[in-house]
Amino acid sequence: MTMKINYYALNQADKGTVIYEKNDQVNSICIILKGRVQAVSNGSKILLGSGNFIGVSDLICMGHYFNSYIAYDDVTFYCFPIQQKDELSEIFASNKDYKGLMVASLSRQINELYK
């Protein structure tokens, strides 16, 4: 079972807390502000730190989380409700820096998967 996430708000998760569970329907994405989150799926493990978005690749590719996202440390993150990739434009409109941060985050995740 995943934690209860508050939208448009800071959230905190203790180390070991499941933020998103693999195969659940995507209902939000988050940006990590402090701490690290581990993305775990089918034997792969990627560690994501501050400035990384979680849940974006799941939204774009599948519509459900294909990773479980688990707090590796005590984590602080900000959460946006979203169910369709078309809604990303609303997130980008809220902060012009989110586009660049999201691209950088996805690039880091691809690089880590390649390793």
Side-chain angles (χ1 to χ4, degrees), residues 2 20-26 40-42 58 62-69:
T2 58
Y20 295 130
E21 185 73 49
K22 182 179 177 176
N23 295 323
D24 284 354
Q25 186 71 28
V26 173
V40 180
S41 181
N42 299 330
D58 312 80
M62 307 292 240
H64 65 273
Y65 299 109
F66 58 86
N67 294 295
S68 288
Y69 293 95

Side-chain angles (χ1 to χ4, degrees), residues 95-111:
N95 185 323
K96 63 183 173 86
D97 295 331
Y98 285 156
K99 283 183 184 179
L101 285 170
M102 200 172 287
V103 169
S105 177
L106 289 169
S107 296
R108 282 191 293 270
Q109 290 177 39
I110 290 168
N111 187 46

